[in-house]
Amino acid sequence: KAGRRSGPVRLGSARPGRPGLSVERRVSARSCAMPSWVIDRYGRNDVLRFTRDMVFPTIHFPNEVIIKVHAASLNPIDLSMRSGYGATALNMKRDPLKLKSMDTEFPLTLGRDVSGVVMECGLSVSYFKPGDEVWAAIPPWKQGTLSEFVVASGNEVSFKPKCLSHTEAASLPYVGLTAWSAVNQVGGLNQSNCSGKRVLILGASGGVGTFAVQLVKAWGAHVTAVCSHDASTLMKKLGADDVIDYKSGNLEEQLKTLPLFDFILDNVGGSTEKWALDLLKKWSGATYVTLVTPFLINMDKLGVADGMLQTGVTVGSKTVK
């Protein structure tokens, strides 16, 4: 069932560990194994396997912590990774010097979001201690959160807001950080330069889109949200100024009737990239940011060298436009 769920997944609970009591001693009775959802090959949902014998995570670097998972959630990237998306690039990140044998990613645990309790800290971790309630977004090249325990770097972890339950908290980090990265880190928008700008968000009713709508609206932007009709009420509640149903007609033609935009966030990709650039204001430094990068797909299809070359050509030509 976990493979089919789209929301937070309860993985059980436990009392916070006592400071000074090592994780190794606590789990010795279980032979350093833990329950986990894993895949042993890429494919559809039938590749998901529940096991109670997943190797218990260990701290390899002094800045790492081990988290007892109270709740985790699924994101679209988990479905994509289950099917093999990005395997070439992610395996390079896991083993850049090719020190290990092939297929070292298996058994692979999916899941990027976690909310739980710190159980053990590396020697250089000073912000957290065993027993702290935290949340985190785990990078896709690391073992994921659909397990009883997960290891994370200290800079990937933060204190869980006290007003949120573990289940609520587990639904937020990955999409929230993705939206922030796309809008602020890549797109360059912030509270001092966003006021009055026209922002278009394609796929606005998804996890990343709902965060992005609220973020740029709080900064004073005029927001046009593209979604399905059944999400239009939600978009209005989140502050969108204009809501367009992409099923109500030719989306490109509908958007062309509106004034041009200063910023476009594309959570959909595909055919939208062929015409979305024409909706930007000309010679104004307007920005188009897409979450659907060709980089991982090209490397999967063409290999490392050719994939990087093809990506450079694709991105370069669109940047010039």
Side-chain angles (χ1 to χ4, degrees):
K1 290 183 180 179
R4 303 187 187 98
R5 295 182 62 176
S6 59
V9 181
R10 287 294 295 188
L11 292 180
S13 60
R15 293 187 299 273
R18 298 195 307 274
L21 181 62
S22 70
V23 172
E24 288 75 18
R25 286 177 58 192
R26 280 197 298 271
V27 301
S28 59
R30 289 180 286 173
S31 302
C32 294
M34 64 177 179
S36 180
W37 281 97
V38 301
I39 61 173
D40 302 302
R41 66 185 191 281
Y42 297 117
R44 301 183 64 82
N45 275 352
D46 57 359
V47 303
L48 282 165
R49 174 173 65 89
F50 180 75
T51 178
R52 295 188 179 277
D53 299 317
M54 186 64 177
V55 176
F56 192 90
T58 56
I59 291 176
H60 293 285
F61 300 98
N63 69 328
E64 292 181 331
V65 299
I66 293 177
I67 301 172
K68 164 66 178 178
V69 179
H70 281 229
S73 67
L74 295 176
N75 290 287
I77 190 174
D78 295 306
L79 275 70
S80 299
M81 288 178 62
R82 178 211 61 194
S83 303
Y85 170 75
T88 301
L90 294 177
N91 281 336
M92 282 186 60
K93 180 68 176 180
R94 294 182 184 112
D95 188 17
L97 299 180
K98 296 186 179 298
L99 299 177
K100 300 178 182 178
S101 59
M102 297 297 289
D103 295 333
T104 54
E105 72 267 36
F106 299 120
L108 179 64
T109 303
L110 301 176
R112 309 271 58 91
D113 289 308
V114 60
S115 181
V117 174
V118 174
M119 302 298 289
E120 189 79 358
C121 298
L123 294 176
S124 68
V125 176
S126 59
Y127 292 101
F128 307 105
K129 64 182 185 302
D132 287 339
E133 293 191 338
V134 296
W135 60 353
I138 309 299
W141 55 85
K142 293 186 177 182
Q143 288 286 27
T145 61
L146 301 183
S147 289
E148 188 176 18
F149 296 90
V150 66
V151 64
S153 299
N155 60 352
E156 296 161 357
V157 180
S158 185
F159 291 108
K160 179 184 76 68
K162 296 182 183 299
C163 62
L164 299 179
S165 68
H166 283 295
T167 304
E168 292 168 334
S171 68
L172 302 177
Y174 196 78
V175 290
L177 289 171
T178 302
W180 171 263
S181 176
V183 172
N184 179 268
Q185 301 297 299
V186 177
L189 298 183
N190 55 58
Q191 61 186 17
S192 63
N193 67 10
C194 198
S195 179
K197 288 191 174 180
R198 291 184 51 80
V199 174
L200 171 64
I201 299 180
L202 302 168
S205 61
V208 175
T210 51
F211 265 87
V213 168
Q214 297 174 82
L215 188 60
V216 297
K217 189 61 186 177
W219 289 343
H222 180 285
V223 179
T224 299
V226 175
C227 60
S228 60
H229 176 72
D230 57 3
S232 59
T233 301
L234 170 63
M235 291 297 100
K236 286 293 186 180
K237 287 182 178 179
L238 295 182
D241 299 282
D242 297 320
V243 180
I244 297 180
D245 177 11
Y246 68 88
K247 296 180 180 179
S248 63
N250 186 298
L251 177 59
E252 179 183 358
E253 295 302 320
Q254 292 184 75
L255 291 173
K256 283 183 177 179
T257 64
L258 302 176
L260 296 175
F261 296 94
D262 299 285
F263 180 85
I264 297 176
L265 174 60
D266 187 354
N267 300 302
V268 179
S271 61
T272 59
E273 295 183 9
K274 299 178 181 178
W275 48 261
L277 294 175
D278 295 327
L279 303 175
L280 292 171
K281 292 181 179 178
K282 305 300 185 287
W283 306 105
S284 66
T287 306
Y288 169 82
V289 176
T290 176
L291 299 187
V292 187
T293 170
F295 176 68
L296 296 180
I297 297 175
N298 286 339
M299 288 189 68
D300 288 338
K301 289 182 178 179
L302 305 175
V304 177
D306 291 344
M308 293 179 69
L309 179 61
Q310 179 61 50
T311 301
V313 172
T314 302
V315 175
S317 61
K318 291 183 178 180
T319 300
V320 169
K321 182 177 182 179

